[in-house]
Amino acid sequence: MHTRRSVVLGLAGLLATGALAACGDSPNEKAKSEGPTILNVGMPNGPQTENQNPFLSTSASSKSGYKWALYEPLMMWNPVKPADPMKPWLATKAEWSKDYTSVKVSIRDNATWTDGQKVTADDVAFTYKLVRDNDALNTGGLTISDATVSGSDVTITFKNPQFVSQHKAIAQVPIVPKHIWEKVSDPKTELAKDPIGSGPYKLKSFTPQTATLTVKDKGYWQALPAVKELRYTSYTDNNAQTTALANGESEWSFVFIPNVKTVFIDKDAAHHKIWAPPVLGIHGLYINTTKAPFDDKNLRVAMSMVIDRDDIFNTAEAGYFHPLVKSVTGLPSPAGDAFLAPEFKGKDYKIDIEGAKALLTANGYKYEGTTLKDKSGKAVTLTLTDPAGWSDYQTSLEIVKSNLQKIGIEATVEKANQDAWFKNVEAGQFDAGFRWTNGGNTPYDIYQTIMDGDLLKPIGTASPAGNFGRFNNPDATKALRAYQSATEDSVRVEAMNTLQKIFVEQMPMIPVGADNVGGAYSTKQWTGWPDDANPYGAAQPTQPNALDVILHLKPAS
């Protein structure tokens, strides 16, 4: 979920650089008389190599997102409302076993591949075995055991419960035709230059700058989209992508725009829109809980009480990119609302400087003038570190530094080399810094990234999967395992409530903002985009539900 670091870089004077020249004829040139037919999609990924392999995250079709217009998943999942039932897609239904170690999917009988052959249960079973047998294709880390066919049904079995990974298991695997891929000698290097998918589009042309897709004449299993042609342009960088959005050359993208109102929205206030809904993945200040005095939960809670999340949201994240997290549990709203423990419903963060000071002095801390001294008499100091190029995080750190000064903590901001930073954070060799959590269809991924004792490693040993702050709480680990393996909803609810209580009371990581699956888009030619009034799916063109968005679009005229 964390493509955000490839695009959230330091930007200034966004409109000073030119965008790529438009390719071919002017988009929607005949829109006035016949209505629009073309949708222009962009991402700031730079020139692309011809690679349409739908399984590889590095392929052009994955990075731009158009693989999801060519290939389809079994079910359609809405990350904006993750607790909602999934929408049937290539499968008409999905029935999970009680322990979530298997799922039976019924494959629709009216879907066909681009070459005219029928989509079958054999294709689905083949796809899952292909992913199982090739680690490079298994980007979701699925523990697939087998996939067996009975008529139009496929039963997919897993080595462990998939309750917390249902979306990865059946809504994020692109289904491919067996009769094509069984002839591929090495799936991990296959370029799939002539993609044969079940989606409503086929690849028309490819250049390093632009991939063009055209709608099929017939044979799609549902109504054909109003968008007859998709043009996916890969712009040089954020500046070029933002310029293209501002001048109307690009109509849909996912890109961080620091001064978003001035450089994008105000260029066409009637049509230029930003929608960045939060999902169940968050960003915040990880604290090394092995370093005194930050091994004291009271100090961490006091720090959380003075951090100005509104300032970080508006100043560092342009008032939209990382939606503000208000709940003391760290869960974003509305994505996390269905999971809130009763004791924390309606309880939001509030800045309370005097309350933070009182908490500290009641637990052995003292003040000498404005300087906070720990229980051993040492001044409380720490180094805040993030990569130099991540401007939103660097601005966030400066705000945190100023906030902590108000309770006597002296912080230093360090601009790190990106590679060294990753290594140091994973090895637990840091004081504090902003980073993200994993995300998923439940809050499990959030708390697991922060508090999982099974990921606990000694300082100096890498823990790339999480628990960067080396938080050691057996009760949290026990609750995580209980949630992951439960077969009853009541057990999951109890485990989730326990996780929230531990998080709130011990604050192993200070949450600030949520991940988003949003987009910048224009309603000048096309309407039907997801928004607050109709949050039917993510607005990010690289998400698996991108085709659902395209199918919702209608000509503005």
Side-chain angles (χ1 to χ4, degrees):
M1 180 175 287
H2 304 294
T3 55
R4 51 99 53 211
R5 282 297 129 203
S6 67
V7 295
V8 187
L9 304 176
L11 301 174
L14 279 167
L15 296 181
T17 61
L20 290 172
C23 301
D25 54 341
S26 299
N28 296 317
E29 188 176 344
K30 299 179 181 179
K32 290 184 179 180
S33 58
E34 301 176 7
T37 60
I38 300 167
L39 175 66
N40 293 279
V41 190
M43 287 295 289
N45 296 327
Q48 296 294 297
T49 301
E50 188 172 6
N51 187 339
Q52 319 303 347
N53 191 320
F55 297 108
L56 303 181
S57 60
T58 55
S59 72
S61 65
S62 292
K63 289 194 284 186
S64 292
Y66 61 86
K67 76 175 184 183
W68 295 115
L70 300 170
Y71 299 92
E72 298 176 289
L74 295 173
M75 305 290 281
M76 196 65 71
W77 174 65
N78 182 1
V80 182
K81 302 180 73 177
D84 282 4
M86 295 187 197
K87 183 188 298 185
W89 211 256
L90 280 184
T92 57
K93 62 180 178 179
E95 299 173 323
W96 285 92
S97 62
K98 186 176 181 180
D99 63 358
Y100 284 87
T101 59
S102 69
V103 60
K104 184 172 76 172
V105 291
S106 299
I107 310 307
R108 65 176 58 258
D109 62 5
N110 60 336
T112 57
W113 300 109
T114 305
D115 61 8
Q117 293 200 36
K118 185 180 178 65
V119 175
T120 68
D122 286 333
D123 293 313
V124 174
F126 171 83
T127 299
Y128 277 84
K129 290 177 183 178
L130 187 70
V131 171
R132 177 197 65 187
D133 297 339
N134 294 272
D135 288 343
L137 277 55
N138 191 3
T139 54
L142 298 174
T143 59
I144 301 167
S145 178
D146 202 2
T148 57
V149 175
S150 177
S152 61
D153 293 336
V154 180
T155 299
I156 308 163
T157 55
F158 302 87
K159 296 176 183 177
N160 52 20
Q162 297 295 301
F163 179 79
V164 299
S165 302
Q166 296 172 64
H167 62 302
K168 295 178 183 178
I170 59 175
Q172 294 186 353
V173 175
I175 305 302
V176 298
K178 178 181 178 181
H179 66 278
I180 299 294
W181 281 80
E182 67 182 353
K183 301 173 185 176
V184 172
S185 58
D186 189 352
K188 68 177 181 295
T189 60
E190 172 63 27
L191 300 180
K193 290 185 178 181
D194 183 20
I196 303 298
S198 62
Y201 293 93
K202 57 186 177 181
L203 184 65
K204 178 181 179 181
S205 63
F206 178 89
T207 72
Q209 286 75 39
T210 303
T212 302
L213 278 60
T214 184
V215 74
K216 296 176 181 178
D217 296 328
K218 59 182 179 179
Y220 188 48
W221 59 270
Q222 58 180 320
L224 287 170
V227 178
K228 303 307 178 186
E229 186 168 291
L230 292 164
R231 294 182 183 175
Y232 288 82
T233 299
S234 189
Y235 291 90
T236 305
D237 53 24
N238 286 22
N239 292 16
Q241 175 64 77
T242 302
T243 301
L245 283 167
N247 65 26
E249 178 185 314
S250 183
E251 300 170 280
W252 187 21
S253 182
F254 175 70
V255 61
F256 178 56
I257 308 173
N259 194 8
V260 65
K261 186 175 187 298
T262 300
V263 303
F264 173 59
I265 294 175
D266 288 350
K267 297 300 179 182
D268 186 354
H271 302 110
H272 287 180
K273 308 295 181 182
I274 288 284
W275 189 57
V279 293
L280 288 177
I282 65 174
H283 295 245
L285 190 73
Y286 280 86
I287 300 170
N288 192 330
T289 63
T290 68
K291 289 192 173 185
F294 303 100
D295 55 350
D296 180 4
K297 65 178 182 180
N298 295 300
L299 177 57
R300 299 193 299 267
V301 170
M303 292 168 62
S304 177
M305 292 169 68
V306 301
I307 289 180
D308 192 337
R309 293 163 175 81
D310 289 277
D311 192 12
I312 291 172
F313 175 62
N314 291 305
T315 304
E317 302 297 346
Y320 83 98
F321 199 74
H322 282 148
L324 188 63
V325 169
K326 297 181 180 181
S327 171
V328 294
T329 65
L331 298 185
S333 180
D337 292 350
F339 303 94
L340 280 174
E343 63 181 304
F344 299 124
K345 288 183 178 179
K347 292 189 177 180
D348 293 345
Y349 288 107
K350 296 178 182 177
I351 295 176
D352 187 357
I353 296 170
E354 295 307 314
K357 289 180 177 179
L359 175 63
L360 292 169
T361 55
N363 284 279
Y365 294 82
K366 296 180 180 179
Y367 281 93
E368 285 189 7
T370 59
T371 300
L372 180 67
K373 296 294 186 73
D374 66 19
K375 298 171 186 179
S376 68
K378 293 181 180 179
V380 179
T381 64
L382 82 163
T383 300
L384 305 170
T385 179
D386 274 297
W390 297 359
S391 63
D392 58 331
Y393 275 10
Q394 286 294 328
T395 301
S396 298
L397 292 182
E398 292 291 345
I399 292 171
V400 169
K401 173 185 175 179
S402 176
N403 296 158
L404 295 180
Q405 285 177 337
K406 297 177 180 179
I407 56 172
I409 298 175
E410 190 64 33
T412 302
V413 173
E414 179 183 88
K415 296 182 178 181
N417 169 273
Q418 182 171 315
D419 291 341
W421 178 85
F422 269 106
K423 291 178 181 177
N424 288 335
V425 170
E426 291 178 0
Q429 296 171 322
F430 71 104
D431 287 355
F434 271 76
R435 204 185 191 283
W436 53 90
T437 70
N438 294 328
N441 60 320
T442 74
Y444 169 86
D445 298 83
I446 293 176
Y447 294 131
Q448 190 260 348
T449 309
I450 300 168
M451 301 193 294
D452 193 348
D454 287 346
L455 301 177
L456 196 60
K457 305 290 186 195
I459 298 296
T461 300
S463 178
N467 202 346
F468 309 113
R470 270 52 182 181
F471 183 65
N472 190 359
N473 187 295
D475 290 336
T477 304
K478 182 179 178 182
L480 285 166
R481 297 292 81 80
Y483 190 89
Q484 184 181 32
S485 61
T487 58
E488 301 291 341
D489 285 341
S490 60
V491 176
R492 294 189 194 98
V493 170
E494 182 180 0
M496 182 55 61
N497 292 351
T498 297
L499 289 167
Q500 292 176 43
K501 184 175 179 63
I502 293 170
F503 185 84
V504 171
E505 294 179 351
Q506 302 204 23
M507 202 55 57
M509 176 263 216
I510 300 175
V512 172
D515 261 330
N516 87 77
V517 284
Y521 55 75
S522 172
T523 61
K524 187 174 184 178
Q525 301 289 352
W526 300 100
T527 62
W529 301 95
D531 55 20
D532 285 334
N534 189 15
Y536 62 82
Q540 186 174 329
T542 58
Q543 289 290 313
N545 73 294
L547 177 58
D548 196 22
V549 174
I550 294 167
L551 289 169
H552 273 80
L553 299 182
K554 304 297 178 186
S557 58

